[in-house]
Amino acid sequence: MKSQFFAMPELSMRFLPVWKRHLLVWWKVAIPSILGHLADPLIYMLGLGFGLGTLIPEMGGTSYLLFLAGGTLCYSTMNSASFEALYSGFSRMHHQRTWDAILNTPITLDDIVLSEILWAATKSVMSGLAVLLVIWILGMSHTLLSLWTIPLALLIGLCFSAIGLIMTALAPSYDFFMYYFTLVITPMMMLSGVFFPVDQLPGVLQSVSALLPLTHAIDLARPLLIGNIPHNIMLHLIVLAVYSLAGFYLSLILFRHRLSK
Amino acid sequence: MTAIIEVNHLHKSYAGLRVVDDISIHIKRGECYGLLGPNGAGKSTTLRLLLGLTDPDGGTVRLLNHDVPHFAREARLRIGVVPQIDNLDPDFTVEENLLVYGRYFGMSEKEIKSRIPMLLEFSNLTSKRSAMVPTLSGGMKRRLSLARALVNDPDIIFLDEPTTGLDPQARHLIWQRLRELTSQGKTLLLTTHFMEEAERLCHRLAILDHGRMIAEDTPRDMIKHNIEPQVVEVFGDQVAEWATAHAAKFSQRHEISGETAFCYVQDAQPLVAHLQAHAALRYMHRPANLEDVFIKLTGREMRD
């Protein structure tokens, strides 16, 4: 690969008209999109929460339903960003050639990739808000600390859209994304404490878990919903930020390479 | 007058293959310049290099006094592009496509909206302003691509095979619009493999093959300098035997392609008189055109 592919990202506000384009597309399907954001966590929490919740009265020092709420919030925001960055992003880059059209204007590839990340993170915030709304409506959380999950949803969104875009940059077709979901996302869900505490895992897997971004997201979200201040806030934030920045940079290198052909 | 598009000794290779090989082009303001060539001749890559979307291996590009690729962004601010494959936004209406695209140039909503009625009229899409892109015909989509390329009121317009896949009516409308643009002083750079399109629209044109420019001239002089002025096409069952026996006597050059013998001649009269005596053979006598030059220079074999 050529040296100019490794240049630092050039950031500018030029991403904004591209982000607004994505928003306008979303606006046309806003109602089914919002319903999806609401229904998905609702079904999970009601189904698993009430079903398992009656068998498991308490987990990690709280009700199982509230325990699950923290996991669901992170897992939903992760999924929103991942689907947007992979399937929708690939469609814009490859299938619809939206990126080609934009690249003929003064907007650069760096701006486009940044807009993709910020848009996917926007979808995460929408998803996070929807989960929080469900949590409040079900009367599960009563603390104002839970509002901190909104900026957290943004950070989770940035992190998983940046990682997801690496896959998009490498993908020959939509089918490729199945690898990512079955080999990365699903195992991560099991290892990061969405459904049960990480300390239930064997020691080796606990070490793996400590490296996963979703684990750190959940370690922040869960106490915030319960009403406690999380431990090791800086550590968790740094891990999520490092994944975001590294993902952004790596995906940008790969996109520069791919689109130079 | 100095050139608005200035390309000198441009080189680009992919995987050891020279896709663009020492191309130099100088285009003046208000000129319509055509890049002709078979598939894979390097036309689209040349456009990509000019837009700064890919870096050259050698040579220089200056557009409107901006060095490309270093100042490609500044250059693209004043350029409109009609791409070979439509990349309109399928989720948007005609009008929204123009609005969203204008914002990419940093234009205000108000500024874009003030241009939209004119753009819609120019592209004959006023009645379709609220139609979704997937409901448009091929010709309408092309016209919308053209309107979109004009949203920033560019000085230069790149058109990559603007009429490929269109029916004759739709093609003529595009041609008419392109002529209007050149008369407004816009500079057009278009790639095509329709010779008729190049002959009608272009002030000057270049023929590319295997990444090299093999001819550059006005359409009229391109024909005059490269080929005999008259062509007689002879067809019929015994054309091969006839050609072996007689073609060389009457023509400067001849080629057989399938059931047809193409005879290139300075003076067609002796050949025509001879053919009138051969009832089994049919013939057509016509002046040489750009396609004859193109075939002569790039050969008859297929390019994929």
Side-chain angles (χ1 to χ4, degrees):
Chain A
M1 267 199 256
K2 292 187 200 152
S3 60
Q4 64 260 38
F5 295 153
F6 295 93
M8 277 291 131
E10 194 191 314
L11 303 181
S12 85
M13 286 304 287
R14 288 189 298 265
F15 79 86
L16 194 60
V18 187
W19 183 89
K20 281 163 89 176
R21 178 230 166 251
H22 303 331
L23 183 68
L24 183 58
V25 175
W26 177 82
W27 183 245
K28 301 197 167 213
V29 293
I31 291 171
S33 173
I34 291 170
L35 285 178
H37 283 313
L38 287 170
D40 211 42
L42 194 65
I43 292 163
Y44 257 88
M45 282 192 284
L46 289 181
L48 285 177
F50 287 127
L52 285 174
T54 49
L55 299 171
I56 313 160
E58 192 194 278
M59 191 175 279
T62 178
S63 75
Y64 185 62
L65 198 57
L66 190 50
F67 179 89
L68 193 63
T72 306
L73 189 136
C74 295
Y75 147 81
S76 286
T77 46
M78 169 181 80
N79 262 354
S80 290
S82 301
F83 273 99
E84 189 66 31
L86 273 71
Y87 288 95
S88 307
F90 189 74
S91 168
R92 288 187 282 265
M93 171 186 71
H94 185 76
H95 183 65
Q96 282 181 203
R97 300 170 182 275
T98 313
W99 289 19
D100 289 347
I102 299 172
L103 285 169
N104 287 331
T105 73
I107 288 172
T108 65
L109 185 58
D110 296 27
D111 304 325
I112 292 180
V113 176
L114 181 63
S115 80
E116 288 290 340
I117 290 180
L118 291 175
W119 171 248
T122 308
K123 293 284 293 277
S124 286
V125 172
M126 293 179 192
S127 164
L129 269 172
V131 180
L132 195 58
L133 201 64
V134 169
I135 290 169
W136 283 340
I137 289 170
L138 295 179
M140 288 152 60
S141 179
H142 309 280
T143 163
L144 280 179
L145 274 179
S146 62
L147 284 173
W148 281 104
T149 55
I150 302 304
L152 177 62
L154 178 66
L155 185 57
I156 298 170
L158 293 173
C159 174
F160 284 98
S161 54
I163 299 171
L165 283 175
I166 298 173
M167 291 296 124
T168 308
L170 294 170
S173 71
Y174 291 104
D175 303 313
F176 181 76
F177 298 138
M178 218 36 168
Y179 292 118
Y180 181 66
F181 280 101
T182 46
L183 299 177
V184 179
I185 293 291
T186 310
M188 179 139 51
M189 227 167 71
M190 290 302 154
L191 293 174
S192 297
V194 176
F195 304 108
F196 52 84
V198 172
D199 54 27
Q200 296 298 307
L201 293 166
V204 183
L205 290 180
Q206 284 191 36
S207 316
V208 175
S209 173
L211 299 173
L212 300 173
L214 189 61
T215 308
H216 294 273
I218 292 173
D219 280 348
L220 288 170
R222 191 161 278 146
L224 288 172
L225 290 177
I226 296 169
N228 300 329
I229 293 175
H231 299 297
N232 303 320
I233 295 178
M234 277 317 282
L235 169 77
H236 301 314
L237 291 179
I238 287 170
V239 170
L240 290 170
V242 166
Y243 270 105
S244 306
L245 294 173
F248 177 38
Y249 183 50
L250 186 57
S251 64
L252 187 57
I253 294 169
L254 294 169
F255 282 127
R256 284 168 177 165
H257 176 64
R258 178 174 185 144
L259 272 77
S260 75
K261 284 185 246 182
Chain B
M1 199 158 69
T2 55
I4 192 169
I5 298 178
E6 224 182 309
V7 179
N8 287 306
H9 304 294
L10 200 60
H11 282 270
K12 179 74 186 178
S13 297
Y14 286 119
L17 187 72
R18 291 185 164 198
V19 185
V20 172
D21 191 359
D22 196 22
I23 285 186
S24 300
I25 303 170
H26 297 88
I27 304 174
K28 293 194 294 280
R29 190 178 286 275
E31 220 181 347
C32 177
Y33 190 97
L35 287 177
L36 275 65
N39 288 333
K43 305 184 296 287
S44 296
T45 306
T46 304
L47 290 190
R48 277 179 64 78
L49 286 164
L50 263 55
L51 285 167
L53 298 178
T54 198
D55 291 347
D57 298 332
T60 57
V61 175
R62 270 176 84 76
L63 298 180
L64 300 146
N65 288 325
H66 298 294
D67 280 315
V68 175
H70 198 70
F71 292 102
R73 256 180 38 71
E74 286 76 2
R76 289 204 299 268
L77 206 52
R78 307 294 319 135
I79 296 176
V81 179
V82 179
Q84 189 177 117
I85 303 165
D86 279 321
N87 52 28
L88 299 163
D89 251 314
D91 299 304
F92 293 155
T93 65
V94 165
E95 199 170 6
E96 283 165 342
N97 262 281
L98 298 173
L99 179 69
V100 167
Y101 210 70
R103 292 200 293 226
Y104 299 150
F105 289 89
M107 297 167 74
S108 70
E109 212 108 328
K110 198 178 148 207
E111 207 181 339
I112 306 165
K113 283 188 171 153
S114 71
R115 283 184 62 74
I116 284 180
M118 186 272 288
L119 293 168
L120 290 174
E121 197 181 330
F122 183 78
S123 52
N124 282 27
L125 288 170
T126 306
S127 64
K128 290 281 174 183
R129 63 190 306 154
S130 304
M132 295 297 284
V133 165
T135 67
L136 302 179
S137 71
M140 290 176 190
K141 284 181 189 163
R142 258 358 343 235
R143 268 143 52 204
L144 179 54
S145 290
L146 179 61
R148 193 183 66 171
L150 299 173
V151 73
N152 58 326
D153 193 18
D155 296 313
I156 301 175
I157 303 149
F158 288 176
L159 303 114
D160 198 357
E161 299 187 11
T163 62
T164 299
L166 296 188
D167 61 30
Q169 288 84 350
R171 182 174 301 160
H172 279 274
L173 183 57
I174 295 270
W175 287 346
Q176 192 189 329
R177 289 300 182 252
L178 297 185
R179 269 193 295 266
E180 282 177 46
L181 290 173
T182 40
S183 68
Q184 286 169 23
K186 307 280 187 202
T187 308
L188 268 56
L189 174 57
L190 72 97
T191 77
T192 182
H193 36 226
F194 289 119
M195 298 304 132
E196 192 194 347
E197 179 163 293
E199 217 167 331
R200 279 167 178 247
L201 293 177
C202 297
H203 300 114
R204 280 193 304 145
L205 43 91
I207 296 180
L208 307 189
D209 198 16
H210 302 297
R212 298 191 68 94
M213 187 189 286
I214 53 177
E216 185 191 40
D217 222 325
T218 63
R220 186 190 291 257
D221 285 348
M222 177 87 75
I223 298 166
K224 197 166 132 193
H225 295 152
N226 286 288
I227 202 155
E228 298 76 9
Q230 305 290 319
V231 181
V232 179
E233 295 181 24
V234 186
F235 19 78
D237 291 338
Q238 295 125 31
V239 73
E241 294 82 2
W242 172 84
T244 327
H246 304 287
K249 268 189 287 184
F250 295 102
S251 46
Q252 277 66 44
R253 235 165 27 86
H254 72 276
E255 282 170 8
I256 296 174
S257 175
E259 308 257 283
T260 309
F262 292 83
C263 301
Y264 302 94
V265 296
Q266 291 294 341
D267 175 11
Q269 281 320 310
L271 176 56
V272 169
H274 164 81
L275 285 166
Q276 277 166 348
H278 275 74
L281 292 168
R282 286 171 298 133
Y283 71 94
M284 186 175 74
H285 172 207
R286 58 174 176 81
N289 61 31
L290 207 50
E291 188 147 325
D292 298 312
V293 177
F294 186 83
I295 298 272
K296 182 186 171 194
L297 296 179
T298 63
R300 282 195 187 271
E301 77 273 27
M302 292 294 291
R303 311 293 176 85
D304 296 308

